[in-house]
Amino acid sequence: MTQAWANFFDPGHPAGRPSFKSRSRSRPAVDVPQARDLNITRLSRRWGAVNLPKVGRVRFRWTRDLPGVTRGGPAGRITGARLVKDAFGWQIVFRAERQVPAPVARPGPGLGIDRGITVALVLSDGTTRDHGEWLTSGEKEHLRRLEKTSARRRAARPPGQRASRRLARTYDRIARLRATAKRRAVDWQHQTTTELARTFGVVVVEDLTITNMVRTAKGTIERPGRNVRQKAGLNRAITGQAWGRTVTLLEYKTRDRGGLVVKVPAPGTSQTCHRCGHRDPAARDGTRFSCVNPACGWAGHADTNAAINIRNAAGTAVSGRGDLGAARSAKRQPPRAA
């Protein structure tokens, strides 16, 4: 809040007047800045205990080794903690300080990734990384009924009256189901990006402006939009894949292992043949790509062709995260045919 007011009073800052968050929409959090009074102890294989100011001794679920606490665990020390409340209750996050060796540049094969909707990730080596539904059929049906119940109770509530306890409980159940889906999605992204960061030295992705891609198509009263419902469904599908989070995870994991993530311009990657370089929008028909150049005639999966083009475009990178030596070697690589 202090920084928000400082930005507001700064003449050169575009920030507006800060507004207070609603209690029902905010994420409660309590920070414990010092670790000297935490007194963290391990009670069993799955449980630990910690002292919290003005709360006392509290048990928490032990999910990973803590530096300076776990016997034989990583070297370092705990510097503080933070309590955060989500749909599943209160969670505790410990801040740790430990010595991390500088990453050493390592040679490794290059990889191009095409992010999609039907298939989450299509790689330039011809493989894919996909996932199923984040909720089971029973969970999706349960969520649908809860949303219908909340809509019915919300419509029956008089204007200006606070939500009833039954409606609040319904909101909590909806939030838990959606949080379950998000946890499963983040877990899949962590496992997939860790595998890619360990295997490949240079990872090339498109430099997408996702906020522009998911803009609404409603338009205005004078100039209404077209295919609004179809565009809304596409926006939900793009948002559900969380393309930006995938790249964020890839960047720091690849950098920590001595690799590099390169972002290249996106236009033309799905309309250009990776073998001959001929570009024609008519070459792509759904998931099928057929080069219209008579001298080439390559045909295959359109997303695989786009991923190879992305990998070959590493020399025209707009940004990169990781080792500079790997970046130079990636730029020196000539385009390769599949």
Side-chain angles (χ1 to χ4, degrees):
M1 181 60 71
T2 304
Q3 186 61 43
W5 280 109
N7 294 339
F8 171 68
F9 286 113
D10 185 359
H13 202 283
R17 179 182 291 274
S19 59
F20 291 95
K21 296 181 180 179
S22 171
R23 181 177 62 179
S24 60
R25 296 185 179 181
S26 61
R27 189 182 185 189
V30 179
D31 191 69
V32 183
Q34 297 183 2
R36 60 187 180 186
D37 299 328
L38 290 177
N39 192 17
I40 305 171
T41 57
R42 189 164 189 172
L43 304 178
S44 63
R45 185 172 64 90
R46 294 186 177 182
W47 292 96
V50 61
N51 289 339
L52 298 179
K54 299 185 179 181
V55 177
R57 197 71 171 165
V58 178
R59 294 205 317 165
F60 66 92
R61 186 68 178 265
W62 198 286
T63 57
R64 62 178 302 174
D65 295 335
L66 298 176
V69 178
T70 306
R71 183 179 302 175
R77 64 188 183 93
I78 301 295
T79 60
R82 187 175 181 85
L83 301 173
V84 181
K85 187 178 182 181
D86 59 10
F88 296 97
W90 286 96
Q91 317 291 335
I92 185 168
V93 181
F94 294 104
R95 289 191 299 272
E97 183 182 77
R98 59 192 183 95
Q99 201 75 16
V100 178
V104 179
R106 60 179 179 85
L111 176 72
I113 299 179
D114 181 63
R115 291 165 285 176
I117 297 174
T118 305
V119 180
L121 301 177
V122 179
L123 311 185
S124 58
D125 59 2
T127 62
T128 61
R129 300 294 185 274
D130 202 6
H131 55 77
E133 296 289 339
W134 303 129
L135 294 176
T136 64
S137 58
E139 290 171 335
K140 288 192 289 187
E141 176 64 19
H142 189 200
L143 178 61
R144 186 187 68 85
R145 293 190 178 189
L146 287 174
E147 290 176 339
K148 290 182 63 176
T149 301
S150 66
R152 183 174 64 250
R153 291 174 179 172
R154 188 167 57 251
R157 183 181 60 185
Q161 183 176 346
R162 294 183 59 182
S164 64
R165 293 185 178 179
R166 289 191 301 173
L167 181 56
R169 285 196 296 269
T170 303
Y171 285 156
D172 292 340
R173 292 169 183 170
I174 293 175
R176 278 194 290 270
L177 281 173
R178 291 178 176 172
T180 298
K182 183 176 180 179
R183 284 190 172 189
R184 292 170 182 171
V186 174
D187 178 70
W188 178 85
Q189 287 180 314
H190 271 292
Q191 294 189 35
T192 304
T193 53
T194 300
E195 175 211 348
L196 297 178
R198 288 174 177 172
T199 307
F200 299 95
V202 179
V203 180
V204 190
V205 297
E206 292 177 301
D207 185 30
L208 300 177
T209 308
I210 302 175
T211 54
N212 294 341
M213 298 175 63
V214 297
R215 283 182 177 176
T216 179
K218 289 183 178 180
T220 61
I221 298 178
E222 294 79 10
R223 302 179 64 179
R226 300 173 56 185
N227 299 326
V228 177
R229 292 180 63 87
Q230 292 85 340
K231 183 61 168 63
L234 176 63
N235 292 347
R236 285 194 298 269
I238 294 175
T239 305
Q241 292 293 344
W243 291 345
R245 186 169 60 211
T246 300
V247 175
T248 301
L249 297 178
L250 259 178
E251 284 180 338
Y252 84 82
K253 292 182 179 182
T254 307
R255 182 178 63 247
D256 291 346
R257 291 165 175 80
L260 173 72
V261 172
V262 179
K263 294 182 180 179
V264 299
T269 55
S270 61
Q271 301 175 355
T272 305
C273 177
H274 73 273
R275 177 168 293 178
C276 67
H278 182 75
R279 179 174 177 177
D280 191 341
R284 176 163 185 170
D285 183 15
T287 60
R288 184 71 177 173
F289 185 92
S290 299
C291 183
V292 297
N293 184 7
C296 177
W298 184 88
H301 199 284
D303 293 336
T304 303
N305 174 74
I308 297 173
N309 284 328
I310 294 171
R311 180 197 64 192
N312 295 341
T316 60
V318 296
S319 66
R321 294 285 185 90
D323 180 68
L324 294 179
R328 297 188 185 97
S329 62
K331 292 183 179 181
R332 287 195 297 265
Q333 289 180 353
R336 292 174 292 178

